[in-house]
Amino acid sequence: MNSRRSGHTSSRSIKNQNFPAIPPGFEANASAPSRLNLNLVLTPKFDPEVEPLEVDFDPNSISASPNSTHGSDHTSLLSLIPWDVVHSPLQQLSPGSDEEALFAEYQRLARLFMDSYTKRLHIPSSGSPHAQTSTSAPIPTHSDTLSLASSHVASSKLVSRKRKTRSAEMVRVSFLSEQDHIYFRDLVRRTRITFESLRVLTIRDEAKGKGLGGFVKKRRADLKAAALMFNRDLWLNRDKRIIGSIPGICVGDVYFYRMELCVVGLHGQVQAGIDCVPASRSINGEPIATSIIVSGGYEDDDDGGDVLIYTGQGGRDRKLHKMCNSQKLERGNLALEKSMKYGIEIRVIRGINVDDSPTGKVYVYDGLYRIVCCWMDVGKSGFEVYKFKLLRIEGQEEMGSTMLKVAASLKADSVSARNHGFFIKDISMGRESFPVSIYNDLDDDQDPLHFEYLAQPIYPPAIQDKFHGDGRGGCDCVTNCVGNCCCATLNGGEFAYDANGVLLRGKPLIYECGMACQCPPSCQNRVTQKGIRHPLEVFRSKETGWGVRSLDLIRAGTFICEFSGIVLTKHQTELVSLAAERLVHPSRFPGRWAEWGDISDVFSEYVTPRYPYLPELSFSIDVSRARNVACYLSHSCSPNVFVQFVLHDHYNVAYPHLMIFSLENIPPFRELSIDYGVVDELLGKLML
């Protein structure tokens, strides 16, 4: 193990993270937990729009499956939402050279319109120190592509605003500084956390309502979460229609729900597979396609990865999922044809069937494509269909759908699939519930093998003896624990996880049912003590030295692994520190647990948990001789995992376990990163 020169590649410096403040007057006791009943919140209604593609949307009325394919010809979600960035407007689209005379007159009228339009825009003249703002741009005389301003102004906070009507303004973001990348990634992550938190809390509240005999109208939780966020103007990218890459969204990002694609602005249609700016909202009066979803819904699709033959929309029977009519060059099909004409890149999202998904499918963002040709063809069912050939733009990250397939092949035969480099299948020697492999194809470094693998931390005997401290023991539940269990009382009157082991919301400390409890191992309140749930790999990285990644798709809010080593008391820490041993200090990790489950953007009365009580931690974990996979997590000030303190084998609150949970959906082969809460100069003093 080397001392980290690392830091995650997303940042070279670390800034203090601000977390939700605790409102004054909150009583930190078990009888006053912060809880909200989402079923009491009114679901918003959305105003109708005149464009045929943009119809009324009431999230409560949608009964379509989240696995709907790209051919549905009805119901489109109000797409691409407000966010805290102002981009410069799109320069006008240019027709072919055979229309130069007509286009010259169009130019003159367009300039007059833009001059009038920009005077009505009150765009601030300054913002992010790393970007500039342009409110207008000259119209090109002839071009086959969109020309857009490259910079933006970013506000520092999410603010509540009155809902804005979607603009005809289309933009492309072509330059972002490193700090901007971090800002937008955190913005997207925060939005996704809010969506997921509302979704799981809605399910919990509906289950509680049914269990208490109360009447609760069952709704799809993802629709309700999206509706609540829409009503608070929390959808991203609504007042700007982004062409190309969206800041804060990376190639390979994975989503379980179509509604989540809408919430982050990646794809604005609830069911239809083609998202576009309709003609009535386009400056030049022509529809422009921005993204498509490929999910195997049309039999004439031919998906070759980098080369995609995409079948247009329309003509399909909604119940039989078969073609029953010929397609027409209108709506989404016409928008794709216009995007080909102007050379506009298309975001491609693939829907893939996955057994571990709560919906049976995942949606993977695979990057940008260009349409190179389109034609009318006779499909397999004998009806005429429009086909579009798309080529993936070079120089992007590997497709997420490809990485899912590679990960599946590696899990099936990990040894033969590694055709070069140093590889060991399981450095834990069976101590973990899933193997922890090591792989190095860069150099001959084998540093992780020099240390004993320690699956669980070793505590001083005096700490372990405090299991029955303060007269408290385990619960006496014969079957799975319920809400009146004494362990639930310790947690503030509620359990920390849902039925799938997903963390409902972060807390200063979580009590799990443990060794002294009578409940079975299947109890919902036993999660982290069961060990890792995914095959992990320690790998050699060019950017971070040694890093950790998973061969599985890790769902947001789920347990990954524990930080393990030899636990030292405060006195032992002071002695060992003088000897320059490699120590991990739990007190230095920032409280990112407060981010998970925070729905204060939707409910102003939400209170960040302050119970169960956690004192100031003064112990350390020595990883100089024995350690586990968590000790190779790289640092980032925009991390995808966080530390949650948990107790299950003793009740000594001064020595909790350091459990690692995911902040977002983490696809296979994406490096796991954590915020150690220290500046770069101190990283070298850590073992990491």
Side-chain angles (χ1 to χ4, degrees), residues 621-688:
I621 301 178
D622 183 359
V623 293
S624 61
R625 293 163 289 173
R627 58 181 65 164
N628 75 334
V629 61
C631 297
Y632 299 95
L633 294 171
S634 61
H635 168 78
S636 173
C637 58
S638 182
N640 53 23
V641 304
F642 67 98
V643 170
Q644 171 66 65
F645 297 110
V646 176
L647 287 179
H648 64 82
D649 56 353
H650 64 79
Y651 285 116
N652 194 326
V653 296
Y655 293 88
H657 291 265
L658 279 67
M659 302 301 188
I660 309 299
F661 283 78
S662 56
L663 269 172
E664 60 184 38
N665 297 331
I666 305 175
F669 296 107
R670 179 167 293 178
E671 185 169 1
L672 308 183
S673 60
I674 195 168
D675 186 352
Y676 287 104
V678 293
V679 295
D680 289 342
E681 292 79 13
L682 294 179
L683 285 175
K685 297 181 181 180
L686 288 176
M687 152 276 154
L688 305 163

Side-chain angles (χ1 to χ4, degrees), residues 507-535:
K507 294 188 175 185
L509 181 65
I510 289 175
Y511 287 88
E512 291 189 2
C513 295
M515 297 171 57
C517 297
Q518 302 301 311
C519 58
S522 60
C523 175
Q524 180 177 325
N525 197 37
R526 296 175 182 265
V527 174
T528 63
Q529 59 194 269
K530 296 180 181 179
I532 65 176
R533 307 309 303 161
H534 304 281

Side-chain angles (χ1 to χ4, degrees), residues 19 220 236 309 402 456-457 519 543 619 661 682:
F19 296 100
R220 266 179 45 191
L236 302 182
I309 306 298
T402 299
Q456 288 86 32
C519 58
E543 292 82 15
F619 74 98
F661 283 78
L682 294 179

Side-chain angles (χ1 to χ4, degrees), residues 340-362:
M340 178 193 69
K341 174 182 178 181
Y342 296 115
I344 297 172
E345 59 268 39
I346 304 295
R347 296 187 295 271
V348 172
I349 303 108
R350 286 184 168 86
I352 303 173
N353 295 325
V354 174
D355 293 336
D356 295 335
S357 168
T359 61
K361 179 172 286 189
V362 296

